[in-house]
Amino acid sequence: MENPKNGAEEKLKSVFEGMCVKKDAALEQFAILSIPSFIRDWFIRKYSAADGSLNAAFISRKIREVLPRKADWPALLDEMVSGGKEVKFVGKAEALRDIRSGRVTFSLPDFGVSHDETRISPDVWERCKEPFLSSNGPVWGIITLGYETVLRGQKSEGVISLKDFKDFRPYKIDLEYYKKARAYFDTAEWIDILLGAVDYNAAGFCTEEEKLAMLTRLLPFAEKRLNLIELAPKGTGKSYLFSKISKRGWLASGGVMTRAKMFYDMMLKQEGLVSNYDYVALDEIATIRFGDVSEMQGAMKGYLESGVYTVGVKEGKGDAGVILLGNIAQSSMNVNSDMFSTLPEVFHDSALIDRFHGFLEGWKVPRMSEDKKMCGWALNTEYFAEILHALREDLTARSLADRLILTPAGADTRDVTAVKRLCSAFIKLLFPHWEKESDVNRGEFSKYCLGPAVHMRGIVKKQLGIMDSEFAGKTMPAFEVKGM
């Protein structure tokens, strides 16, 4: 890697050449079309000029061609059935093998196309199966479909046939390069780069505390099974960050959440959300209804503790973190008062709450405003989201946390687990270039990793003391940093 150019924007473009896009007024065009950020940045990078400029009319036309809406499905179907043509577009598909017949079928959840209407021939399956087998859920990809007649039993039936599928991975993810690239920026510059990667303009934030409060929401993107609770005023961008930045997360807002959907459906013999995504964020948590409260509590406790759930005779595993997102009135923004009373009944259980690693004070995130919309060159959101996903498999950060944090004798195990897991996530997000102890700036580790981790877990501890007298008066262990 050559020495980068001077100037924050020029340095970013130089170090991450080919992985940056110009985010400005173009974002507004995509917002109107409800395009996820990871898809939007693919369009911007593919169809923008060298200076980052876009032709709005051309882009809109391309979006309609490449990313059809549900209302476009009848026309696509007619083109296949009546016209005998193949259709190609970007979308989500999920494959399923029928145990009895051995056939492989697929569904298109965005169009309401079910498995009984489709087939994947053996030769296509062999060519395209890798992304389906590695995901256990809907996969974004470039889909090619056709219509054909197949013999099922004694009669012929028309089916939609998968002709080709290419996993939507438009960017090469070189994690080692990303780690080394971080060393070219100081911490203040890097914080601003991370904000730009998720569509926020760092200049619109008044303090570093505000910036870090926003970025803390990204921790579950980079760390497996990191369980968080955030209460925040309306309009601070909770829903946007958890639904639009990464294709690997799930945001559920309102409605009913059942054990079958969350963990395992015994009737369908199908794994639930925690086995298919990097995180499951339950938005507007006060409005979500849970089926059988005791049933859900039991499954939740086991999963949040170890990543293992048991439903009937089925024992399964997952890597998804569980995040509770809720609104809070200004009068209730006090960590020393009962903030969890408005949570659904399923969470009125201290043993369950104890399994959440940290609390985000969402009121420290400023309300969204025009000056906080990214305007200028920034890291490509799809690339950045895939980097965070890749970091989930990296063990370096946790190894550093284990070696750097001095734990007092008699410290509560759940407190230690929570603090170390949070520290690991902070390292991945802010200091991915730290590979060994000698790389670590102890002052920065204390300020940006250990301090925030202890604070976040400490709020959960305070709330436990308010909820349950058994936890009253218990304080956080006095963690220290080795070498300070």
Side-chain angles (χ1 to χ4, degrees):
M1 188 186 303
E2 298 180 0
N3 289 329
K5 299 177 181 179
N6 294 323
E9 193 172 87
E10 289 303 313
K11 182 160 65 168
L12 174 66
K13 290 166 63 179
S14 175
V15 173
F16 287 102
E17 184 179 4
M19 295 303 169
C20 296
V21 294
K22 193 172 185 180
K23 302 182 180 184
D24 48 28
L27 298 187
E28 292 301 311
Q29 302 164 18
F30 287 96
I32 293 171
L33 297 170
S34 297
I35 303 297
S37 297
F38 57 86
I39 295 290
R40 177 207 67 208
D41 280 5
W42 178 73
F43 276 104
I44 293 176
R45 181 171 180 242
K46 187 174 179 65
Y47 296 113
S48 62
D51 64 357
S53 61
L54 290 170
N55 181 312
F58 177 78
I59 285 288
S60 295
R61 187 167 64 252
K62 279 295 179 183
I63 289 173
R64 289 297 301 274
E65 292 174 4
V66 177
L67 198 68
R69 303 166 300 172
K70 188 173 184 177
D72 297 322
W73 177 248
L76 292 174
L77 185 60
D78 185 68
E79 193 172 344
M80 289 185 286
V81 178
S82 299
K85 298 178 181 178
E86 293 184 354
V87 297
K88 185 177 181 180
F89 56 88
V90 173
K92 287 184 289 186
E94 182 174 14
L96 178 69
R97 182 183 288 278
D98 183 83
I99 298 299
R100 293 181 178 84
S101 68
R103 290 192 298 265
V104 183
T105 59
F106 66 96
S107 64
L108 302 172
D110 290 339
F111 302 114
V113 177
S114 62
H115 289 277
D116 59 2
E117 304 171 77
T118 66
R119 76 181 290 269
I120 304 178
S121 64
D123 61 314
V124 172
W125 177 245
E126 285 303 313
R127 189 173 72 246
C128 304
K129 67 182 181 181
E130 190 278 329
F132 294 113
L133 294 177
S134 62
S135 70
N136 293 321
V139 183
W140 277 93
I142 301 171
I143 302 168
T144 304
L145 302 177
Y147 180 81
E148 61 185 63
T149 301
V150 298
L151 186 65
R152 286 185 174 173
Q154 299 299 315
K155 63 178 183 177
S156 296
E157 294 182 356
V159 294
I160 301 165
S161 178
L162 185 71
K163 298 298 185 182
D164 195 23
F165 184 90
K166 290 184 173 60
D167 194 8
F168 187 78
R169 293 178 182 173
Y171 312 108
K172 181 182 178 181
I173 303 302
D174 186 338
L175 192 56
E176 292 308 309
Y177 181 92
Y178 177 85
K179 289 181 175 183
K180 292 175 182 177
R182 164 63 179 92
Y184 285 93
F185 304 90
D186 62 34
T187 301
E189 289 174 328
W190 189 248
I191 288 171
D192 290 356
I193 286 171
L194 296 181
L195 286 168
V198 292
D199 299 342
Y200 286 92
N201 178 20
F205 292 78
C206 296
T207 65
E208 185 179 73
E209 182 183 38
E210 289 184 351
K211 295 177 181 180
L212 291 171
M214 174 65 76
L215 292 177
T216 299
R217 290 172 171 169
L218 293 174
L219 298 182
F221 289 59
E223 185 74 15
K224 290 183 179 181
R225 291 181 29 243
L226 185 60
N227 310 312
L228 302 175
I229 302 172
E230 178 182 356
L231 299 179
K234 297 176 182 178
T236 59
K238 299 188 299 297
S239 302
Y240 178 80
L241 200 75
F242 286 105
S243 65
K244 299 295 186 182
I245 298 302
S246 173
K247 62 177 177 281
R248 300 187 183 276
W250 181 275
L251 180 79
S253 184
V256 179
M257 179 59 68
T258 63
R259 185 179 67 170
K261 184 174 183 180
M262 191 82 170
F263 298 104
Y264 184 76
D265 190 318
M266 290 191 290
M267 291 186 64
L268 298 177
K269 300 187 184 305
Q270 184 173 318
E271 293 179 322
L273 297 172
V274 298
S275 298
N276 294 325
Y277 293 95
D278 286 357
Y279 61 82
V280 178
L282 305 179
D283 196 16
E284 303 286 352
I285 186 63
T287 68
I288 293 180
R289 292 177 288 117
F290 294 85
D292 186 310
V293 171
S294 60
E295 184 180 81
M296 182 62 87
Q297 282 180 339
M300 276 273 198
K301 286 177 185 177
Y303 178 75
L304 296 185
E305 182 75 19
S306 63
V308 176
Y309 59 82
T310 302
V311 178
V313 297
K314 167 70 176 179
E315 182 177 273
K317 296 181 180 180
D319 289 328
V322 176
I323 303 106
L324 309 185
L325 302 171
N327 296 322
I328 189 171
Q330 187 171 0
S331 58
S332 301
M333 298 176 194
N334 183 353
V335 298
N336 296 307
S337 63
D338 185 0
M339 297 188 296
F340 292 175
S341 60
T342 58
L343 295 178
E345 182 185 355
V346 68
F347 299 107
H348 293 181
D349 182 333
S350 58
L352 179 54
I353 292 296
D354 195 20
R355 288 161 165 81
F356 282 87
H357 301 115
F359 180 86
L360 283 71
E361 297 166 283
W363 52 86
K364 291 184 177 180
V365 179
R367 186 175 173 82
M368 187 61 191
S369 56
E370 289 299 304
D371 61 341
K372 293 182 183 66
K373 294 180 179 179
M374 184 59 197
C375 186
W377 288 92
L379 273 184
N380 191 307
T381 299
E382 164 69 10
Y383 165 75
F384 178 62
E386 287 299 283
I387 285 289
L388 294 181
H389 174 72
L391 282 168
R392 294 169 68 85
E393 300 294 335
D394 190 87
L395 301 178
T396 307
R398 179 53 191 261
S399 177
L400 285 174
D402 287 338
R403 297 200 299 271
L404 289 167
I405 298 173
L406 300 177
T407 304
D412 185 276
T413 298
R414 288 209 177 111
D415 292 338
V416 175
T417 298
V419 167
K420 287 187 175 181
R421 193 165 296 180
L422 285 163
C423 278
S424 174
F426 276 118
I427 292 172
K428 291 176 181 180
L429 188 64
L430 299 173
F431 307 102
H433 59 308
W434 288 351
E435 293 284 337
K436 51 189 181 301
E437 284 188 57
S438 58
D439 295 336
V440 178
N441 179 309
R442 274 19 180 213
E444 288 195 318
F445 176 75
S446 178
K447 177 181 178 180
Y448 292 106
C449 303
L450 181 58
V454 172
H455 180 69
M456 291 171 67
R457 174 61 184 176
I459 296 175
V460 173
K461 194 103 172 177
K462 285 182 180 179
Q463 291 300 302
L464 285 170
I466 295 170
M467 292 175 67
D468 187 341
S469 59
E470 182 181 335
F471 291 90
K474 294 186 178 181
T475 58
M476 285 293 292
F479 296 101
E480 295 181 3
V481 179
K482 179 182 176 182
M484 281 191 72

